[in-house]
Amino acid sequence: MAGLRTVAAIALTLIVLAVLGTDVTHLVAGAMTAMVATFAIKEKQVRGQAVTLALGLPVALAAVSLGALLHSQVIAGDVFFVALIFGAVYCRRFGDRGTALGLIGFQTYFVSLFVGVTASALPLLALTLAIAFACSAVVRFTVVPETPQRILQWLRGAFRARVAQLVATHIELLDARPDQLDKVLDDLRRHTARLHESALMIQGRLEDGTRDPTTASLLQRRIADAEIATERLGVLLLNARTAERADTLTLHLPQAPLPTAKNEMPAEDAATVTLRRDLNALHLLVSRGASDHSGTAVAHVRNRLLGYRDEDNLPRASIAVQDVFRGIGEAARSVLGLRLALDGPQDESDDTPATTRSREEFDAEDVALAGAEKPEEDDRTGLRRPTTRAAFQIAVGSTLAIVGGEFLSAQRWYWAVLTCWVVFLNTASTGEIIIKGYRRLVGTVLGVVAGVALAGLVGNHTWTAFALILLFVFAMFFTAPLSYALMSFFVTAMLGLLYTLLNTYSLDVLILRIEETALGAACGIIAAVLVLPVHTDRRTDDLLGTVLTKLDEVVAASVDQLSGGPATDLLGLSRDLDTALDDLRASTHPLTHPISPLRVRRQTVRYLVALLETSAYHARSLAATAELLPYSKTIAADPRLQRVGRRIAHNIETITAHVRGEKTDAKVTSGATIISLLESDGSGAPHPSTVTYRVLRHLQRLDEGVSGLARPLGVPVEGRSEGRQKAGRK
């Protein structure tokens, strides 16, 4: 949608300027200004977008005016450019509006350098900028409007489609032959990961897309329930198909072991036939729109699936297969809860006792729902603040790029500065900057090759060139989340066409583009290494400590509530854990990139992230179960859980202290299983069909995952010899 919005703004600007009879230079300036005026604004509320767009025009006019006035003043112009870059980065501390205004100021100053504006041409250029901003506003607010409510509606449809896609894969898993199981498991993992991404996306938009914080919090809870219930159904179905027990589907390591396939499930077995029917019914329940859920037939299907939440309604089958039916019941409950939260009350005339009980549980949750938490503010000051550090780094890097760029070309030196600028965007460590610079250089080299070919094909056909430019702009936005190198390819190919339009195209210019890009990336890396550096190791250690702390909070709060303690905002804690884990995963990209020479370290990092993803899944499952406790009539608190959860808490705290460099003699405790700890008090293990047994299973997987972190991190383990510990670290 961002790509479509930007392309539409550029097209409208070109049409208006063409009608006014402007020359090609101003067409190029208008197109570039419309692009930045559209993509720079990231605010969610329409009013905020309008205010930022209105403030952006005077900022843009001031930037191009100073660019024109300083056109012949080389030293003064360079000093101002560096100051502008510093201010544009520093303004990010003021949120989306500060980021947008800084980006508009930098990019429009760059436009003035690109088209070579002078003081005499300033009035016409100012008019061009005003038209571009006006066209951007028209497209943003009328042609392709972006409102939180509309985005939430899109995300809602996407989430429902992802759930339906995952349930369809569950059906394939049920019927897959042993030789087909590997492919189905790959699909299962991929769809599970995409469902998780969808859940995070929709939760990030809820507060701005709903009418009040209470509704947003309610939807967050329902989405988390639906995600966990659907993922757990896949795990239970895999258990029923295999000889061993699967723990989670969230591991992203291709070599991660999965249970070995047994023979196919008996196709004509009564339980299998019923299971296939009910999985198809669940898929129908998920994939249909809200209007389709009021019919008697669909209500009958919903009631039958919800009935599996009662033990008396489970068909005669093995414990593993009965677990799948229980999972279907919980998945149907989550679909009902999401439907109630999104569409409000529904017809209850066809409700069965099981459906009524589910509705009563949701009503009890609604009454007890707490308000949304206030976000924590960044209390760092001075050079410790990321925006301040980045401002100094990019200012130094840009100064080096200007000096070096002048040696390469007195007219095109700003390309080095632009590369130095972009490699710092959305990066937080030296390793991330190196990887981004490398990817931009690769994309630029390939883009130059494409630019040479396209320039020869386009020739003097102006509107053909602009049509290709619009296509490349859309491709830039579409590929940006997928590959930075691919995005850089389309940027460079587009610039080759712009050079063609300005009659400055030549092979020498495009070769110079590569040289300036390499210089800018090098200057950015040098500045990142020498000026207030944030080493990748330190950043990943900080984020790892944050993930472990959040994991400890979720597990401790969940176990406390399941043991009879007071209710807490487990959903908020789980969401914080997911956010911290996503940040850690992104920060490890430099360490896991194929160009990294440290192969063993790369494997170790992937192993750590996989263990943390598994632990996060089980922590979310614990939190989801604990959330049901205050309202459910079938889940009771078990005080024994408090004791078995202490070992996990101790191990997490020990590993966290080690990661943060704190001096401690504590060791990770391992040995007896969680269930055996519960049996040691003489009360015996719970029955496999009970909720307590399910909770213990998640706690066992958590205990194993957390203990597994000790070896690659070099944390001492109680009972392990020193020699084995050293071998483990090696």
Side-chain angles (χ1 to χ4, degrees), residues 350-395:
D350 296 320
D351 282 1
T352 60
T355 306
T356 301
R357 177 165 62 84
S358 296
R359 291 186 190 273
E360 290 174 351
E361 291 175 356
F362 289 129
D363 291 340
E365 290 180 30
D366 296 346
V367 172
L369 189 62
E373 292 183 344
K374 295 182 179 179
E376 296 180 3
E377 297 183 358
D378 189 349
D379 59 355
R380 288 174 288 185
T381 59
L383 298 180
R384 296 179 60 225
R385 184 179 287 115
T387 50
T388 306
R389 180 190 296 112
F392 278 105
Q393 287 178 326
I394 197 171

Short mmCIF file of all heavy atoms in Angstrom, two decimals, residues 350-395:
data_model
loop_
_atom_site.label_atom_id
_atom_site.label_comp_id
_atom_site.label_asym_id
_atom_site.label_seq_id
_atom_site.Cartn_x
_atom_site.Cartn_y
_atom_site.Cartn_z
N ASP A 350 -29.13 -20.76 19.31
CA ASP A 350 -28.73 -22.13 19.02
C ASP A 350 -27.61 -22.62 19.92
O ASP A 350 -27.02 -23.69 19.66
CB ASP A 350 -28.28 -22.25 17.55
CG ASP A 350 -29.42 -21.96 16.58
OD1 ASP A 350 -30.54 -22.41 16.86
OD2 ASP A 350 -29.17 -21.31 15.55
N ASP A 351 -27.29 -21.89 20.97
CA ASP A 351 -26.15 -22.25 21.82
C ASP A 351 -26.42 -23.54 22.59
O ASP A 351 -27.53 -23.79 23.08
CB ASP A 351 -25.85 -21.13 22.82
CG ASP A 351 -25.10 -19.99 22.16
OD1 ASP A 351 -24.84 -20.07 20.95
OD2 ASP A 351 -24.77 -19.01 22.86
N THR A 352 -25.38 -24.34 22.70
CA THR A 352 -25.39 -25.51 23.58
C THR A 352 -24.77 -25.10 24.91
O THR A 352 -24.20 -24.01 25.04
CB THR A 352 -24.56 -26.64 22.95
OG1 THR A 352 -23.21 -26.18 22.78
CG2 THR A 352 -25.14 -27.06 21.61
N PRO A 353 -24.84 -25.96 25.94
CA PRO A 353 -24.21 -25.61 27.22
C PRO A 353 -22.71 -25.30 27.09
O PRO A 353 -22.19 -24.41 27.76
CB PRO A 353 -24.46 -26.85 28.08
CG PRO A 353 -25.73 -27.43 27.53
CD PRO A 353 -25.68 -27.17 26.06
N ALA A 354 -22.02 -26.04 26.22
CA ALA A 354 -20.58 -25.79 26.04
C ALA A 354 -20.34 -24.39 25.45
O ALA A 354 -19.42 -23.67 25.86
CB ALA A 354 -19.96 -26.86 25.13
N THR A 355 -21.18 -23.99 24.48
CA THR A 355 -21.04 -22.66 23.88
C THR A 355 -21.39 -21.58 24.89
O THR A 355 -20.72 -20.54 24.97
CB THR A 355 -21.94 -22.54 22.64
OG1 THR A 355 -21.65 -23.61 21.74
CG2 THR A 355 -21.72 -21.22 21.94
N THR A 356 -22.44 -21.81 25.66
CA THR A 356 -22.82 -20.84 26.69
C THR A 356 -21.71 -20.65 27.70
O THR A 356 -21.41 -19.52 28.13
CB THR A 356 -24.10 -21.31 27.40
OG1 THR A 356 -25.15 -21.44 26.43
CG2 THR A 356 -24.51 -20.32 28.47
N ARG A 357 -21.08 -21.76 28.09
CA ARG A 357 -19.98 -21.66 29.05
C ARG A 357 -18.83 -20.84 28.48
O ARG A 357 -18.22 -20.02 29.18
CB ARG A 357 -19.50 -23.07 29.43
CG ARG A 357 -18.30 -23.07 30.37
CD ARG A 357 -18.12 -24.45 30.99
NE ARG A 357 -17.85 -25.47 29.98
CZ ARG A 357 -16.63 -25.71 29.48
NH1 ARG A 357 -15.61 -25.00 29.90
NH2 ARG A 357 -16.45 -26.65 28.59
N SER A 358 -18.53 -21.03 27.20
CA SER A 358 -17.44 -20.27 26.57
C SER A 358 -17.79 -18.78 26.55
O SER A 358 -16.94 -17.93 26.83
CB SER A 358 -17.20 -20.77 25.14
OG SER A 358 -16.75 -22.11 25.15
N ARG A 359 -19.05 -18.46 26.24
CA ARG A 359 -19.45 -17.06 26.24
C ARG A 359 -19.35 -16.45 27.64
O ARG A 359 -18.92 -15.30 27.81
CB ARG A 359 -20.89 -16.92 25.73
CG ARG A 359 -21.08 -17.23 24.25
CD ARG A 359 -22.52 -16.92 23.84
NE ARG A 359 -22.84 -17.39 22.52
CZ ARG A 359 -22.64 -16.71 21.39
NH1 ARG A 359 -22.09 -15.51 21.46
NH2 ARG A 359 -22.99 -17.21 20.23
N GLU A 360 -19.74 -17.22 28.64
CA GLU A 360 -19.66 -16.71 30.01
C GLU A 360 -18.21 -16.45 30.42
O GLU A 360 -17.92 -15.48 31.12
CB GLU A 360 -20.31 -17.73 30.97
CG GLU A 360 -21.83 -17.82 30.84
CD GLU A 360 -22.41 -18.93 31.69
OE1 GLU A 360 -21.61 -19.73 32.24
OE2 GLU A 360 -23.65 -19.01 31.81
N GLU A 361 -17.31 -17.31 29.97
CA GLU A 361 -15.88 -17.09 30.26
C GLU A 361 -15.40 -15.79 29.62
O GLU A 361 -14.67 -15.01 30.24
CB GLU A 361 -15.05 -18.26 29.74
CG GLU A 361 -15.27 -19.55 30.52
CD GLU A 361 -14.54 -20.72 29.91
OE1 GLU A 361 -13.92 -20.53 28.84
OE2 GLU A 361 -14.58 -21.82 30.49
N PHE A 362 -15.84 -15.55 28.39
CA PHE A 362 -15.44 -14.30 27.72
C PHE A 362 -16.04 -13.08 28.43
O PHE A 362 -15.38 -12.04 28.58
CB PHE A 362 -15.87 -14.32 26.26
CG PHE A 362 -15.09 -15.28 25.40
CD1 PHE A 362 -15.73 -16.20 24.59
CD2 PHE A 362 -13.71 -15.27 25.42
CE1 PHE A 362 -15.01 -17.09 23.81
CE2 PHE A 362 -12.98 -16.15 24.64
CZ PHE A 362 -13.64 -17.06 23.83
N ASP A 363 -17.29 -13.19 28.85
CA ASP A 363 -17.91 -12.08 29.57
C ASP A 363 -17.17 -11.77 30.86
O ASP A 363 -16.96 -10.60 31.22
CB ASP A 363 -19.38 -12.41 29.88
CG ASP A 363 -20.24 -12.45 28.63
OD1 ASP A 363 -19.82 -11.86 27.62
OD2 ASP A 363 -21.31 -13.09 28.66
N ALA A 364 -16.75 -12.83 31.58
CA ALA A 364 -16.00 -12.62 32.81
C ALA A 364 -14.66 -11.94 32.53
O ALA A 364 -14.21 -11.07 33.28
CB ALA A 364 -15.78 -13.96 33.52
N GLU A 365 -14.00 -12.32 31.43
CA GLU A 365 -12.75 -11.68 31.06
C GLU A 365 -12.97 -10.20 30.75
O GLU A 365 -12.16 -9.35 31.13
CB GLU A 365 -12.14 -12.38 29.86
CG GLU A 365 -11.62 -13.77 30.14
CD GLU A 365 -11.02 -14.40 28.91
OE1 GLU A 365 -10.51 -13.66 28.05
OE2 GLU A 365 -11.06 -15.64 28.79
N ASP A 366 -14.05 -9.90 30.03
CA ASP A 366 -14.32 -8.52 29.66
C ASP A 366 -14.50 -7.64 30.89
O ASP A 366 -14.03 -6.49 30.94
CB ASP A 366 -15.58 -8.44 28.79
CG ASP A 366 -15.40 -9.16 27.46
OD1 ASP A 366 -14.24 -9.49 27.14
OD2 ASP A 366 -16.41 -9.41 26.78
N VAL A 367 -15.19 -8.16 31.90
CA VAL A 367 -15.43 -7.39 33.11
C VAL A 367 -14.13 -7.12 33.85
O VAL A 367 -13.90 -6.04 34.39
CB VAL A 367 -16.43 -8.13 34.02
CG1 VAL A 367 -16.54 -7.45 35.37
CG2 VAL A 367 -17.80 -8.22 33.35
N ALA A 368 -13.25 -8.13 33.88
CA ALA A 368 -12.02 -8.01 34.66
C ALA A 368 -10.87 -7.38 33.89
O ALA A 368 -9.78 -7.22 34.43
CB ALA A 368 -11.60 -9.39 35.15
N LEU A 369 -11.12 -7.03 32.62
CA LEU A 369 -10.03 -6.54 31.78
C LEU A 369 -9.47 -5.24 32.32
O LEU A 369 -10.20 -4.28 32.56
CB LEU A 369 -10.54 -6.35 30.35
CG LEU A 369 -9.49 -6.04 29.30
CD1 LEU A 369 -8.51 -7.19 29.19
CD2 LEU A 369 -10.15 -5.76 27.97
N ALA A 370 -8.17 -5.21 32.49
CA ALA A 370 -7.51 -3.99 32.97
C ALA A 370 -7.21 -3.07 31.81
O ALA A 370 -7.17 -3.48 30.66
CB ALA A 370 -6.21 -4.36 33.69
N GLY A 371 -6.96 -1.79 32.14
CA GLY A 371 -6.63 -0.80 31.13
C GLY A 371 -5.25 -1.04 30.56
O GLY A 371 -4.44 -1.77 31.10
N ALA A 372 -5.01 -0.41 29.43
CA ALA A 372 -3.71 -0.57 28.77
C ALA A 372 -2.61 0.10 29.58
O ALA A 372 -2.81 1.12 30.22
CB ALA A 372 -3.77 0.05 27.37
N GLU A 373 -1.43 -0.50 29.53
CA GLU A 373 -0.29 0.05 30.25
C GLU A 373 0.30 1.23 29.49
O GLU A 373 0.25 1.30 28.26
CB GLU A 373 0.79 -1.02 30.40
CG GLU A 373 0.40 -2.15 31.33
CD GLU A 373 1.53 -3.14 31.51
OE1 GLU A 373 2.46 -3.11 30.68
OE2 GLU A 373 1.49 -3.91 32.46
N LYS A 374 0.89 2.15 30.23
CA LYS A 374 1.57 3.26 29.60
C LYS A 374 2.95 2.81 29.14
O LYS A 374 3.64 2.11 29.85
CB LYS A 374 1.72 4.43 30.59
CG LYS A 374 0.39 5.04 31.01
CD LYS A 374 0.63 6.21 31.93
CE LYS A 374 -0.70 6.85 32.34
NZ LYS A 374 -0.49 7.99 33.26
N PRO A 375 3.37 3.25 27.93
CA PRO A 375 4.68 2.82 27.46
C PRO A 375 5.79 3.45 28.27
O PRO A 375 5.67 4.58 28.74
CB PRO A 375 4.71 3.34 26.00
CG PRO A 375 3.72 4.46 25.97
CD PRO A 375 2.66 4.11 26.97
N GLU A 376 6.87 2.67 28.42
CA GLU A 376 7.99 3.18 29.16
C GLU A 376 8.76 4.19 28.31
O GLU A 376 8.93 4.02 27.11
CB GLU A 376 8.92 2.02 29.55
CG GLU A 376 8.27 1.02 30.49
CD GLU A 376 9.22 -0.10 30.85
OE1 GLU A 376 10.39 -0.05 30.42
OE2 GLU A 376 8.80 -1.01 31.57
N GLU A 377 9.25 5.24 28.94
CA GLU A 377 10.02 6.25 28.25
C GLU A 377 11.50 5.95 28.36
O GLU A 377 11.97 5.36 29.32
CB GLU A 377 9.71 7.64 28.83
CG GLU A 377 8.25 8.07 28.64
CD GLU A 377 8.03 9.47 29.17
OE1 GLU A 377 9.01 10.06 29.69
OE2 GLU A 377 6.91 9.97 29.06
N ASP A 378 12.23 6.36 27.32
CA ASP A 378 13.67 6.16 27.30
C ASP A 378 14.31 7.19 28.23
O ASP A 378 14.25 8.39 27.96
CB ASP A 378 14.19 6.33 25.87
CG ASP A 378 15.64 5.92 25.73
OD1 ASP A 378 16.28 5.70 26.77
OD2 ASP A 378 16.12 5.83 24.58
N ASP A 379 14.89 6.73 29.34
CA ASP A 379 15.46 7.65 30.32
C ASP A 379 16.95 7.89 30.09
O ASP A 379 17.61 8.51 30.91
CB ASP A 379 15.24 7.12 31.75
CG ASP A 379 15.87 5.74 31.94
OD1 ASP A 379 16.37 5.17 30.94
OD2 ASP A 379 15.84 5.24 33.08
N ARG A 380 17.46 7.41 28.97
CA ARG A 380 18.87 7.67 28.70
C ARG A 380 19.07 9.11 28.24
O ARG A 380 18.22 9.69 27.56
CB ARG A 380 19.39 6.70 27.63
CG ARG A 380 19.53 5.27 28.12
CD ARG A 380 19.90 4.34 27.01
NE ARG A 380 18.76 4.13 26.13
CZ ARG A 380 18.78 3.27 25.11
NH1 ARG A 380 19.86 2.56 24.87
NH2 ARG A 380 17.72 3.11 24.35
N THR A 381 20.20 9.68 28.58
CA THR A 381 20.47 11.07 28.27
C THR A 381 21.82 11.19 27.58
O THR A 381 22.64 10.28 27.60
CB THR A 381 20.49 11.92 29.55
OG1 THR A 381 21.50 11.40 30.44
CG2 THR A 381 19.15 11.89 30.24
N GLY A 382 22.02 12.36 26.95
CA GLY A 382 23.31 12.67 26.38
C GLY A 382 23.72 11.68 25.31
O GLY A 382 22.94 11.24 24.48
N LEU A 383 25.02 11.33 25.31
CA LEU A 383 25.57 10.47 24.28
C LEU A 383 25.09 9.03 24.40
O LEU A 383 25.31 8.23 23.49
CB LEU A 383 27.10 10.51 24.33
CG LEU A 383 27.73 11.88 24.06
CD1 LEU A 383 29.24 11.79 24.15
CD2 LEU A 383 27.32 12.42 22.69
N ARG A 384 24.44 8.66 25.52
CA ARG A 384 23.92 7.30 25.67
C ARG A 384 22.64 7.10 24.87
O ARG A 384 22.24 5.98 24.61
CB ARG A 384 23.67 7.00 27.15
CG ARG A 384 24.92 6.99 28.00
CD ARG A 384 24.57 6.70 29.45
NE ARG A 384 23.93 5.40 29.58
CZ ARG A 384 22.85 5.19 30.32
NH1 ARG A 384 22.27 6.19 30.97
NH2 ARG A 384 22.34 3.98 30.42
N ARG A 385 21.99 8.20 24.49
CA ARG A 385 20.75 8.07 23.72
C ARG A 385 21.10 7.65 22.30
O ARG A 385 21.98 8.24 21.66
CB ARG A 385 19.99 9.39 23.73
CG ARG A 385 18.64 9.31 23.04
CD ARG A 385 17.89 10.62 23.08
NE ARG A 385 17.39 10.91 24.42
CZ ARG A 385 17.80 11.92 25.15
NH1 ARG A 385 18.75 12.72 24.71
NH2 ARG A 385 17.30 12.14 26.35
N PRO A 386 20.42 6.65 21.74
CA PRO A 386 20.76 6.15 20.40
C PRO A 386 20.72 7.23 19.33
O PRO A 386 21.56 7.25 18.43
CB PRO A 386 19.72 5.06 20.15
CG PRO A 386 19.31 4.61 21.51
CD PRO A 386 19.39 5.83 22.38
N THR A 387 19.73 8.14 19.38
CA THR A 387 19.63 9.16 18.35
C THR A 387 20.81 10.13 18.40
O THR A 387 21.32 10.56 17.36
CB THR A 387 18.32 9.95 18.53
OG1 THR A 387 18.20 10.39 19.90
CG2 THR A 387 17.12 9.08 18.19
N THR A 388 21.27 10.47 19.61
CA THR A 388 22.42 11.36 19.73
C THR A 388 23.68 10.69 19.20
O THR A 388 24.46 11.30 18.47
CB THR A 388 22.62 11.77 21.20
OG1 THR A 388 21.40 12.32 21.71
CG2 THR A 388 23.72 12.80 21.33
N ARG A 389 23.88 9.44 19.58
CA ARG A 389 25.05 8.72 19.11
C ARG A 389 25.05 8.61 17.59
O ARG A 389 26.06 8.86 16.92
CB ARG A 389 25.09 7.32 19.73
CG ARG A 389 26.29 6.49 19.27
CD ARG A 389 26.18 5.04 19.70
NE ARG A 389 26.19 4.91 21.15
CZ ARG A 389 25.17 4.52 21.88
NH1 ARG A 389 24.02 4.25 21.28
NH2 ARG A 389 25.26 4.42 23.19
N ALA A 390 23.90 8.24 17.02
CA ALA A 390 23.80 8.09 15.56
C ALA A 390 24.02 9.42 14.85
O ALA A 390 24.63 9.46 13.78
CB ALA A 390 22.44 7.51 15.19
N ALA A 391 23.55 10.53 15.46
CA ALA A 391 23.74 11.85 14.85
C ALA A 391 25.21 12.19 14.73
O ALA A 391 25.68 12.68 13.69
CB ALA A 391 23.00 12.90 15.66
N PHE A 392 25.98 11.94 15.78
CA PHE A 392 27.42 12.21 15.73
C PHE A 392 28.11 11.27 14.74
O PHE A 392 29.00 11.67 13.99
CB PHE A 392 28.04 12.06 17.12
CG PHE A 392 27.87 13.27 17.98
CD1 PHE A 392 26.94 13.31 19.01
CD2 PHE A 392 28.65 14.40 17.77
CE1 PHE A 392 26.78 14.43 19.81
CE2 PHE A 392 28.50 15.53 18.56
CZ PHE A 392 27.57 15.55 19.58
N GLN A 393 27.72 9.99 14.75
CA GLN A 393 28.34 9.04 13.84
C GLN A 393 28.11 9.42 12.38
O GLN A 393 29.05 9.44 11.57
CB GLN A 393 27.78 7.64 14.10
CG GLN A 393 28.27 7.00 15.38
CD GLN A 393 27.64 5.63 15.61
OE1 GLN A 393 26.49 5.40 15.26
NE2 GLN A 393 28.40 4.73 16.20
N ILE A 394 26.87 9.72 12.03
CA ILE A 394 26.58 10.02 10.64
C ILE A 394 27.14 11.37 10.22
O ILE A 394 27.50 11.58 9.06
CB ILE A 394 25.06 9.94 10.38
CG1 ILE A 394 24.78 9.83 8.89
CG2 ILE A 394 24.33 11.15 10.97
CD1 ILE A 394 23.35 9.53 8.56
N ALA A 395 27.26 12.31 11.17
CA ALA A 395 27.88 13.60 10.84
C ALA A 395 29.35 13.40 10.48
O ALA A 395 29.86 13.97 9.50
CB ALA A 395 27.73 14.56 12.01
#
